[in-house]
Amino acid sequence: WLIQDMSAVILVTGGHGLVGSAIQHVINAEPIGSRFGRHGGERWVFVGSSDADLRDARQTKELFHQYKPTHVIHLAALVGGLFKNMKHNLSFLRDNTLINSNVLHAAHEHNVQKVISCLSTCVFPDAAQPPLDESKIHLGPPHQSNYGYAYAKRMIDVANHAYKEEFGCNFTAAIPTNIFGPHDNFDLEDSHVIPGLIHKCYLAKQNNTPFVVAGTGTPLRQFVYSHDLAKMFIWQLREYNDVEPVIFSVAEDEDISIRCVAESIVRAVGFKGELKFDTSKADGQYRKPASNAKLMSLIGESFAFTPFDSALQDTVDWFVRNYDNART
Ligand code: NDP
């Protein structure tokens, strides 16, 4: 393993969100000393916004001073669905720029050995030639609906290169496709597609009403389960040492239609009523395939993804069990 230091302190920002909780789960659930399990001498610290508001440089510095991390997985971000992005482009630009700038600079000042930050395939150029790959991030403007989030995220990649050039820092980034899993944001308005549909279907079951999905159901998307993604982050932390980012996803041809997602949710929730598609609502892009070739060539073809239906069932079970405390 590349973490040689037997007293590594791994600080995970955004540590109680969807991805942070998944890393917490995997590092504790996998056998000690295994590829994705906890290693002796490692101390994992998961922090949220109540530990420090990372938009604030002073609070960020104090957090680094308190924990003295040797490694950082930087997940904290202002995150939201399409409508929240469209209404608040400035907030997404400003908050995420401040958070990323403060975290990377504090990491540099504390001589952190490695930082992994998080981009997203939704920050790629709107007109990028499919399939998306790691070389296309900056080749044109992002979609206008989320340009604030997209430009702030893209600047992480720019900063990673600049920190390496000027100070020799070992900073890199992951680029996930659509993530789902326990601890997601299940808000009906401001969430991503899977958690939003799970909540809708759950309510349709409770209220004996139809489960209505916006659009025709034909668009295809690549979904990655948060627990699989967590393993990729742990792999990148221990085994990958390059500034260039890596796309974290299932394969391009493993994309799934929104109709299939909805049908899988119906089965997982045990909904017996009518599933309807509201075709008066816009569909968005039909397909935006992203290549996971770089990831698979490095992590190994034997890396096992959780089957979609089983990951979805786990997510629904978690949501139903935690309905009163989940982000709804
Ligand atoms: P979540 O919203 O679940 O988690 C993000 C966390 O960031 C929150 O838990 C929040 O902490 C923390 N945070 C937000 N603002 C601040 C702040 N000012 N100071 C400190 N912490 C803050 O998001 P995800 O887990 O889904 O996302 C993790 C990363 O993955 C993000 O960088 C996101 O951009 C990226 N990503 C997500 C995708 C998805 O489909 N969800 C797709 C691709 C990339 P708290 O809860 O304590 O307030």
Side-chain angles (χ1 to χ4, degrees):
W1 310 113
L2 289 174
I3 301 184
Q4 308 282 353
D5 183 353
M6 291 309 283
S7 55
V9 178
I10 300 133
L11 180 73
V12 183
T13 71
H16 307 304
L18 165 64
V19 181
S21 305
I23 295 177
Q24 232 175 117
H25 169 85
V26 167
I27 202 76
N28 290 319
E30 291 287 311
I32 292 176
S34 66
R35 192 178 197 191
F36 305 117
R38 192 179 279 272
H39 290 183
E42 282 177 2
R43 179 180 174 218
W44 288 76
V45 180
F46 295 86
V47 291
S49 60
S50 60
D51 297 283
D53 181 343
L54 299 172
R55 293 172 300 183
D56 183 287
R58 189 182 50 79
Q59 290 187 39
T60 309
K61 275 183 188 198
E62 281 170 8
L63 183 78
F64 275 70
H65 185 68
Q66 183 182 353
Y67 291 109
K68 302 188 174 40
T70 56
H71 298 73
V72 174
I73 298 181
H74 170 41
L75 306 171
L78 179 60
V79 178
L82 175 68
F83 296 109
K84 190 171 168 188
N85 267 279
M86 279 165 64
K87 274 190 275 177
H88 303 287
N89 266 300
L90 177 68
S91 303
F92 278 90
L93 178 69
R94 187 170 148 74
D95 284 13
N96 288 320
T97 302
L98 287 169
I99 290 172
N100 299 333
S101 168
N102 289 336
V103 167
L104 292 184
H105 204 64
H108 159 58
E109 287 183 337
H110 280 260
N111 293 319
V112 168
Q113 293 167 31
K114 187 190 287 192
V115 179
I116 298 171
S117 300
C118 200
L119 275 63
S120 163
T121 48
C122 74
V123 315
F124 273 78
D126 190 31
Q129 281 297 313
L132 305 178
D133 69 41
E134 292 81 355
S135 69
K136 297 179 182 170
I137 304 169
H138 303 288
L139 301 184
H143 193 268
Q144 59 162 14
S145 60
N146 71 340
Y147 68 87
Y149 177 80
Y151 278 121
K153 285 285 187 186
R154 286 181 186 192
M155 288 311 288
I156 290 177
D157 181 59
V158 175
N160 285 346
H161 282 84
Y163 271 107
K164 183 182 167 81
E165 245 177 66
E166 197 166 331
F167 299 117
C169 295
N170 187 13
F171 295 173
T172 189
I175 315 178
T177 49
N178 305 276
I179 311 163
F180 71 101
H183 298 274
D184 207 342
N185 173 12
F186 292 86
D187 188 285
L188 289 168
E189 305 295 325
D190 276 338
S191 59
H192 292 113
V193 58
I194 289 188
L197 288 181
I198 289 175
H199 193 175
K200 256 190 170 177
C201 186
Y202 175 82
L203 292 180
K205 184 181 175 189
Q206 303 293 310
N207 302 329
N208 260 323
T209 51
F211 170 31
V212 183
V213 177
T216 62
T218 50
L220 295 158
R221 294 290 179 270
Q222 281 158 286
F223 294 100
V224 60
Y225 184 41
S226 61
H227 290 186
D228 295 343
L229 189 77
K231 292 180 181 170
M232 298 171 203
F233 274 102
I234 295 166
W235 160 79
Q236 196 177 25
L237 183 79
R238 291 179 175 154
E239 301 181 48
Y240 180 82
N241 272 313
D242 194 84
V243 63
E244 298 299 338
V246 186
I247 291 177
F248 283 180
S249 178
V250 298
E252 278 166 70
D253 57 1
E254 302 253 328
D255 52 4
I256 301 182
S257 73
I258 301 302
R259 175 179 289 276
C260 283
V261 170
E263 288 168 354
S264 182
I265 290 174
V266 163
R267 287 191 296 277
V269 170
F271 173 68
K272 304 283 181 229
E274 187 187 1
L275 167 62
K276 282 171 53 171
F277 290 86
D278 178 357
T279 52
S280 69
K281 297 268 164 54
D283 260 346
Q285 217 168 315
Y286 170 60
R287 202 173 169 237
K288 32 185 178 184
S291 166
N292 74 349
K294 179 174 180 182
L295 171 74
M296 297 317 291
S297 74
L298 295 168
I299 202 168
E301 293 292 334
S302 61
F303 180 82
F305 288 92
T306 311
F308 180 76
D309 280 341
S310 142
L312 191 71
Q313 185 71 60
D314 287 350
T315 307
V316 167
D317 291 347
W318 183 90
F319 175 68
V320 173
R321 270 199 319 275
N322 294 280
Y323 187 72
D324 292 336
N325 302 316
R327 283 183 281 171
T328 51

